[in-house]
Amino acid sequence: MGGSVIVTGGAGYIGSHACKALARAGFVPVTYDNLSIGNRWAVRWGPFELGDIHDSARLHDVFRAHRPVGVLHFAALALVGESVAAPSLYYRTNVAGLCCVLDVCRARDVNAFVFSSTCAVYGAPAQLPIDETTPPAPINPYGASKLMAERVLADYDAAYGLRHVALRYFNAAGADPEGEIGERRDVETHLVPLAVDALAGRRPPIRIMGEDYPTPDGTAVRDYIHVSDLAEAHVRALRHLLTGGASRVLNLGVGRGYSVREVLDAAARVAGRPVPSESAPRRPGDPPALVADPTAAQTLFGRDLAQRSSLDHIVETAWRWQNSDFYDRVFFAR
Ligand code: UDP
């Protein structure tokens, strides 16, 4: 199996790892990205097409030129706090932008669509672990926009036969184990890269946001999955669709939760010294604990999906990436 695959947002963190996984599986990843967040240097495994997901004419040109067999759609906005302050931006990008890409797929007869969704669609559920039957109840515009997007996908399937796999990510973290790419954003809010940069002295001490949660050590619990495992899941989702599989909505997590403190302990083990940290209030909108039941995805894609996702490996690959000469150059480049 092969052919071109349009990867919107392919210059971003998860998108670029997915491009590497696609290339390894024999596909040609065509990155379509406006570089508002993504990095040109992260596009290494196929052609790059500069463009915005709202630009229908440009999308048509790119689809005409590359004749894709499917689409991986990563292009989106994904910061909870920003979504609360600027919901218009979030619904326009994450819902209207999606419709624009889907309509080009319809016109070009592309019927395999892999979508980046999120565990934020669940809100703050009382029961853990979370399986796909847990009723969605987003608590911020980001989660709401992704839930709406899932509804759009279901309706497009029913009406037009455009099949999708929506992958509800838990916490993506880590970096390419071969050190070729990794996480790098101008505005960084995520625990693992901030902790590693704090260890390296590149950023101030990490702020432990909330020590009064109803969790064993008082800090918030998340399900961390290695970005390369996540990337591989996209390839398997695409194969599922290309071999005639039905639309699915699937959790992508490991099924094991770690607290903020446990993540910082893992970083300290890797570095051989403690992470500089300080106490801080809870971050608005953060649920106390999110842990996936990953059974459905593992049944469809195989249990080896979590092979790179031990916490120590996640932190170790992030540590190696953020201590590379290349990272040092790109960190200070912008
Ligand atoms: N967190 C923290 N300090 C930070 C960044 C994050 O204590 O500087 C906590 C955050 O409250 C959450 C966990 O780390 O409980 C993971 O946050 P992240 O932003 O990485 O992912 P999220 O779960 O928000 O998608």
Side-chain angles (χ1 to χ4, degrees):
M1 196 178 283
S4 291
V5 177
I6 302 288
V7 184
T8 72
Y13 170 49
I14 303 173
S16 58
H17 287 78
C19 286
K20 180 167 180 175
L22 281 170
R24 185 165 279 175
F27 294 97
V28 178
V30 178
T31 291
Y32 184 87
D33 200 301
N34 67 5
L35 296 184
S36 62
I37 302 170
N39 300 297
R40 180 65 183 85
W41 51 257
V43 183
R44 300 182 51 167
W45 291 278
F48 174 63
E49 298 282 6
L50 182 67
D52 193 281
I53 53 171
H54 297 95
D55 188 344
S56 185
R58 177 83 181 114
L59 279 166
H60 270 286
D61 285 346
V62 170
F63 274 59
R64 200 179 296 117
H66 295 283
R67 310 171 73 81
V69 295
V71 171
L72 269 49
H73 183 62
F74 295 97
L77 297 174
L79 297 179
V80 167
E82 186 182 63
S83 79
V84 175
S88 164
L89 197 59
Y90 272 66
Y91 291 111
R92 278 176 193 277
T93 308
N94 295 357
V95 184
L98 166 71
C99 291
C100 191
V101 179
L102 287 175
D103 287 336
V104 177
C105 288
R106 284 175 59 207
R108 300 268 149 208
D109 215 19
V110 174
N111 291 307
F113 197 90
V114 183
F115 177 69
S116 300
S117 191
T118 168
C119 63
V121 300
Y122 295 114
Q127 291 282 345
L128 297 180
I130 303 164
D131 71 16
E132 292 82 354
T133 64
T134 302
I139 54 173
N140 50 60
Y142 167 58
S145 71
K146 288 287 185 173
L147 185 61
M148 271 183 206
E150 288 188 6
R151 175 60 196 257
V152 168
L153 289 168
D155 290 345
Y156 271 59
D157 185 2
Y160 312 124
L162 205 172
R163 284 169 301 116
H164 64 274
V165 175
L167 298 170
R168 291 177 173 168
Y169 309 158
F170 282 67
N171 285 58
D176 172 36
E178 285 151 14
E180 295 190 288
I181 41 173
E183 203 160 7
R184 165 72 185 109
R185 296 183 195 84
D186 283 349
V187 181
E188 188 53 81
T189 62
H190 292 103
L191 179 63
V192 172
L194 288 176
V196 171
D197 274 341
L199 265 167
R202 245 186 232 105
R203 292 190 199 262
I206 189 90
R207 302 174 70 232
I208 301 176
M209 298 201 276
E211 292 174 296
D212 56 350
Y213 283 109
T215 58
D217 67 16
T219 64
V221 169
R222 295 290 182 273
D223 183 334
Y224 295 87
I225 178 167
H226 194 284
V227 65
S228 297
D229 284 339
L230 207 63
E232 176 60 25
H234 289 74
V235 175
R236 297 187 192 183
L238 179 67
R239 281 211 197 97
H240 165 79
L241 293 169
L242 293 178
T243 52
S247 292
R248 297 290 302 265
V249 177
L250 298 167
N251 287 342
L252 277 188
V254 170
R256 162 88 161 86
Y258 290 98
S259 70
V260 171
R261 240 178 237 301
E262 286 175 306
V263 172
L264 299 184
D265 287 348
R269 275 196 298 280
V270 168
R273 57 180 188 274
V275 183
S277 67
E278 59 188 41
S279 295
R282 292 184 184 192
R283 186 166 63 182
D286 271 357
L290 293 170
V291 180
D293 178 341
T295 308
Q298 289 183 354
T299 303
L300 189 64
F301 299 146
R303 297 199 74 79
D304 62 321
L305 256 194
Q307 60 180 316
R308 285 162 284 215
S309 291
S310 74
L311 183 60
D312 280 24
H313 186 59
I314 286 173
V315 173
E316 190 212 313
T317 53
W319 169 257
R320 264 194 282 138
W321 161 248
Q322 289 175 237
N323 282 295
S324 66
D325 291 344
F326 183 74
Y327 180 83
D328 220 39
R329 283 201 299 279
V330 299
F331 186 87
F332 295 105
R334 284 202 196 173

